Amino acid sequence: MNALTNGPDGPLLTPNEAFDVARLFIENYWRLRGGTADEVGDLLAFMHRLADGSPADPAIWLDWLDAIEKIRPHSELH
């Protein structure tokens, strides 16, 4: 099941919520790293999935979960 599929109570994330999470995640990353355009390329590199499916930078996953929590405060993330 991915973030946009239906769970027992409806969509886990609506398309609008998923968009807001992605925007917030990228904005937070950009601000934390000084707000330069080059940082977006770094973000994409850190988000690249390794052979085992994990992101190249494990901390990115925790940042992503934090962004979801800010959009959907009572969701179960783990």
Side-chain angles (χ1 to χ4, degrees):
M1 183 179 298
N2 66 43
L4 297 177
T5 61
N6 285 332
D9 298 322
L12 298 179
L13 287 177
T14 67
N16 284 337
E17 287 172 330
F19 182 85
D20 290 344
V21 168
R23 181 202 45 78
L24 179 62
F25 178 74
I26 293 168
E27 180 181 333
N28 287 342
Y29 181 89
W30 181 73
R31 286 176 193 247
L32 287 170
R33 275 117 187 126
T36 63
D38 293 342
E39 296 298 326
V40 174
D42 291 341
L43 172 63
L44 293 172
F46 296 146
M47 292 175 75
H48 177 77
R49 292 199 180 269
L50 303 176
D52 68 359
S54 64
D57 178 357
I60 288 291
W61 186 249
L62 297 176
D63 293 342
W64 175 253
L65 295 178
D66 183 58
I68 293 171
E69 183 64 23
K70 287 178 180 166
I71 298 299
R72 281 198 95 172
H74 301 293
S75 64
E76 291 184 28
L77 303 176
H78 305 286

